[in-house]
Amino acid sequence: MTTLLTFPKGGIHPPESKELTAAKKIEVMPVPAELEIILSQHIGAPCKPTVEKKAEVGEGAVIGDVVKGLGVPLHSPAAGKIKAISSSVHPLKLNAPSITITVNPEAAPLHYEKKEWRDIDPKELLGKLKDAGVIGIGGAGFPTHVKLSPPSNSPVDTLVVNAAECEPYITADHRQMVEHSAEIIEGCKVILRILGISNCLIGVESNKPNAFQALSETAANTAESDFKIEVRALQVKYPQGSEKQLIQAVTGRKVPGYALPSAVGVVVQNVSTAKAIYDAVVLEKPLYEKVITVSGKGIQRPANLLVKMGTRISDIVDYLGGIKPELKKIVLGGPMMGFAVSSLDIPITKTTSSVLFLSEDEIDTAPHSQCIRCGWCLEACPMGLEPKEIGLFVEANHAEETERFGVFECFECGSCAYVCPAKRPLVQFVRLAKMKAKRK
């Protein structure tokens, strides 16, 4: 690594806490006795069940599909019988419609063979991604076939692959890069073929030197004249992996406010999504399992696990030896952008990146106080917004008037709340302001 790239404004450097799992190889978790597959796994319309109670399903069979609107189908993660079509615990919505499958432990797992894809028409490749249920694994879960169809008035010339994984604790992408670099690079080539471009930039934070080396060597060893893939080293700075900050770091292009990356000729995909795209096109394997990080001082055995969608957190806890007495908080996702949860019955979805079991010395329980107008949140905000003003307006019951402070430009990275000496819940203020402003 030579020059380390980064974005110019704001950002923080919280404790990385990745040492618990960074060197742990991806472990395949045995399939639990039951799986609960939530029907709404991504942005857009939820799926409707295409199976009935007591139906037998095979591994990879379609069990739900989107009848109208934006979405992708759902596939059975294992062979078994439909036990129920009801609802499951959801981290944000309390509960959500779901399909429960009783897994057949006698069924042999499917094996997928590689297929040639280079002569396939780009539109057909997009169809394969949709049919395989591929969505953006690193973020909100936008359907990938839609994201790879940029508007015709915004021509794209560069694919940026997000391999920063800047959230503390999480190492799932890191291990994918080390252990599956060949599949990721080939997945990048599939994306380039779909977009009809040749230029790909992969941004890796410098705290993952073995991932940087694996991707760089694989890209060099599998170089083809139609594809120019370059791996670039990034400073360790949060939120290096957010879309607009990453684009500016690796290309120097600044995405205008409220605009999409295609406005500057860029499409961004997460590195694990590139692996899922490889699976969907080269193996014709649907997206029904995922690598997640399970970490924190409150779990007996931290790990990087390959789990089936619909695996309950309780099954993961049992597999890893249980929780420790010092456990104080469970967080789904990273500590900066994740959500605290109170139930172990929540099932893993396509967008789950990690489950953190945090002890008291890993969390901050100090009560918040009034804003002291220190301005630290303004300096930390990578978007140049005014989090303190948003918070003050929310507290004064004027949440609907916060649009002037750029509340809808905020992607809730939590940098402002992290640096706030008054421990003010600025992200929660932003979420409340967005909700009320939309109702205005």
Side-chain angles (χ1 to χ4, degrees):
M1 299 184 194
T2 54
T3 304
L4 300 180
L5 306 173
T6 190
F7 52 95
K9 187 173 183 56
I12 57 175
H13 191 174
E16 297 174 27
S17 303
K18 292 176 183 283
E19 67 280 356
L20 289 171
T21 55
K24 292 183 180 294
K25 292 183 177 179
I26 297 169
E27 188 177 330
V28 180
M29 180 178 158
V31 184
E34 283 187 1
L35 297 168
E36 289 185 38
I37 299 92
I38 290 178
L39 289 167
S40 179
Q41 301 240 344
H42 53 73
I43 286 179
C47 285
K48 299 288 184 185
T50 58
V51 291
E52 295 182 350
K53 188 178 176 180
K54 298 184 179 180
E56 299 280 351
V57 294
E59 178 180 344
V62 174
I63 57 174
D65 209 349
V66 173
V67 178
K68 186 178 180 182
L70 188 71
V72 294
L74 268 179
H75 302 79
S76 176
K81 181 182 284 188
I82 304 298
K83 177 183 178 181
I85 299 175
S86 54
S87 65
S88 296
V89 182
H90 191 280
L92 300 179
K93 304 175 184 175
L94 296 181
N95 58 68
S98 67
I99 297 174
T100 302
I101 298 174
T102 302
V103 174
N104 177 4
E106 304 299 325
L110 288 183
H111 292 282
Y112 295 89
E113 301 291 333
K114 287 184 67 173
K115 297 176 177 60
E116 182 50 53
W117 56 270
R118 285 171 172 75
D119 295 330
I120 299 176
D121 181 81
K123 287 186 178 178
E124 190 176 340
L125 292 174
L126 277 177
K128 285 180 178 290
L129 300 185
K130 181 180 180 182
D131 293 343
V134 179
I135 62 170
I137 287 176
F142 203 79
T144 300
H145 68 282
V146 178
K147 196 169 182 180
L148 293 182
S149 305
S152 56
N153 60 352
S154 297
V156 167
D157 60 21
T158 302
L159 165 67
V160 171
V161 175
N162 179 7
E165 200 169 51
C166 58
E167 273 260 12
Y169 288 93
I170 307 176
T171 57
D173 284 355
H174 182 178
R175 294 310 310 179
Q176 292 261 54
M177 290 185 268
V178 171
E179 299 176 40
H180 297 292
S181 61
E183 293 92 333
I184 289 169
I185 294 297
E186 192 157 351
C188 293
K189 293 176 181 178
V190 172
I191 301 171
L192 292 172
R193 164 88 172 140
I194 289 172
L195 294 172
I197 61 176
S198 59
N199 192 37
C200 171
L201 300 173
I202 304 176
V204 184
E205 278 195 341
S206 60
N207 59 355
K208 307 172 190 64
N210 53 351
F212 181 88
Q213 182 179 1
L215 291 177
S216 299
E217 290 180 354
T218 302
N221 295 336
T222 62
E224 299 178 52
S225 58
D226 290 342
F227 308 115
K228 181 185 176 186
I229 299 177
E230 183 182 344
V231 186
R232 294 188 172 178
L234 305 170
Q235 265 187 40
V236 180
K237 187 168 79 170
Y238 181 86
Q240 193 76 259
S242 70
E243 205 167 60
K244 292 183 177 179
Q245 280 63 38
L246 181 64
I247 290 171
Q248 193 163 8
V250 299
T251 70
R253 304 174 190 176
K254 184 176 181 180
V255 181
Y258 301 99
L260 296 173
S262 59
V264 294
V266 173
V267 162
V268 179
Q269 288 290 336
N270 172 269
V271 70
S272 287
T273 308
K275 168 65 167 56
I277 288 170
Y278 168 90
D279 289 344
V281 170
V282 181
L283 302 181
E284 295 187 344
K285 178 182 178 181
L287 177 57
Y288 57 70
E289 57 189 13
K290 182 151 196 274
V291 178
I292 64 168
T293 296
V294 184
S295 191
K297 297 179 182 176
I299 187 80
Q300 291 289 349
R301 188 166 70 84
N304 295 301
L305 296 180
L306 177 65
V307 299
K308 300 287 187 183
M309 305 300 174
T311 300
R312 300 184 187 104
I313 296 176
S314 57
D315 290 317
I316 294 172
V317 169
D318 290 343
Y319 176 67
L320 295 177
I323 56 177
K324 293 182 178 178
E326 51 265 44
L327 173 68
K328 290 297 180 185
K329 181 185 277 189
I330 302 173
V331 174
L332 207 59
M336 299 301 296
M337 296 186 71
F339 294 85
V341 297
S342 57
S343 171
L344 295 179
D345 292 331
I346 295 172
I348 301 300
T349 69
K350 294 181 181 183
T351 56
T352 305
S353 58
S354 65
V355 187
L356 304 181
F357 295 84
L358 303 176
S359 61
E360 188 159 4
D361 65 336
E362 296 175 290
I363 59 177
D364 189 347
T365 56
H368 76 272
S369 57
Q370 296 300 310
C371 176
I372 59 174
R373 298 182 181 277
C374 63
W376 289 9
C377 59
L378 278 71
E379 292 182 15
C381 180
M383 297 299 292
L385 308 179
E386 298 185 56
K388 71 175 179 63
E389 295 297 337
I390 295 171
L392 291 170
F393 269 63
V394 169
E395 287 182 310
N397 290 322
H398 292 290
E400 298 85 351
E401 300 171 28
T402 54
E403 195 166 352
R404 75 179 84 169
F405 304 118
V407 69
F408 289 111
E409 274 282 274
C410 175
F411 57 92
E412 302 170 18
C413 69
S415 296
C416 54
Y418 180 80
V419 299
C420 178
K423 308 299 179 186
R424 290 171 61 74
L426 294 169
V427 175
Q428 286 73 21
F429 285 148
V430 166
R431 288 173 181 160
L432 186 60
K434 285 179 179 177
M435 184 178 68
K436 291 195 172 183
K438 285 177 181 175
R439 290 177 181 170
K440 182 172 64 170

